[in-house]
Amino acid sequence: MKFSLKQALSFCFSDKEFAQKMLIGCGFLILSMLINNIIDILNNVPKNITVIVVALFLAVVSIISTLIPYGYEVENSHLRLIQNEITLCDWKNKLQKLKYGFLSCFIPCLSWGLVMILIGFIFGFGAGFLHSLLLKITQGYLINIYLAFAFIALFFILLFTILIVEASRLSYITDLKFKSFFNLKAIKKIMFENFRKYVNYIGNIIILGFIQIAVLFVLAFVVNILAQFIAVVLSAAFTLDDVSKVIANILYVLTFSPVIMYFYFVYSDLKAQFLKLTLQDSDER
């Protein structure tokens, strides 16, 4: 069995309820994007306690609306792993999807936070201490050598963090249990025992990421042109720039959400494909 981008890109269309499940996911993403636009408007009005409370409430709702579709991707990855039927998971338990989405974001964010503290220590305290210690003796040339090695270390630290965080998320997908984020046996099997397959998987994720960015970039270009055209038509009654901005925001919301949701489907299948290749004969699955 090998990775199949074709399968990842097309499997979701085999689900008889694909359109309905896509629309539900888009609904959450649209809600989140619309709320973000409202928050932007509130940022430009005079601040008082009511505005601040409303903005905070809307921010929480926006985060929840973003996490639920992401949790759907996590759950769908698990579903694709444990069954051979070509189908998408349902939307029945949204609180469960919120939990999956929250955990799949919180643990990586926590990991990256710790890594940033480590990097700050290396470049801040380490460089400052070395500088104060060696400047009088060496006129500071060793500090440049230190920084060169520190940048090399930074590259490998960031690379290792990316690999281990993704391996941890993949381990979580196997059974959707919190402890699986820290299942060193599964992480070791993913990262080291199947290193070539893992690199291949990461490569496919990067390719899909570039495809998604390219699609969104093209959509943004088309949306801007279309918004300006519509604004010209309506400019007799409204200010041209205001109309163009409003129309562009509406079109962004309506066009970006299905693209993002579709790629959630694609990523879920690719993750399941990788896990089937690496864990199908092990105790981690």
Side-chain angles (χ1 to χ4, degrees), residues 252-264:
Y252 283 141
V253 168
L254 295 178
T255 57
F256 278 32
S257 56
V259 173
I260 295 171
M261 198 65 220
Y262 169 70
F263 275 93
Y264 277 160

Side-chain angles (χ1 to χ4, degrees), residues 210-245:
F210 276 116
I211 294 174
Q212 182 177 4
I213 292 171
V215 172
L216 292 176
F217 179 82
V218 172
L219 276 177
F221 179 76
V222 173
V223 162
N224 281 328
I225 294 177
L226 185 59
Q228 291 175 15
F229 173 77
I230 297 175
V232 170
V233 175
L234 300 176
S235 61
F238 302 96
T239 303
L240 182 61
D241 290 340
D242 292 340
V243 173
S244 178
K245 184 177 180 180

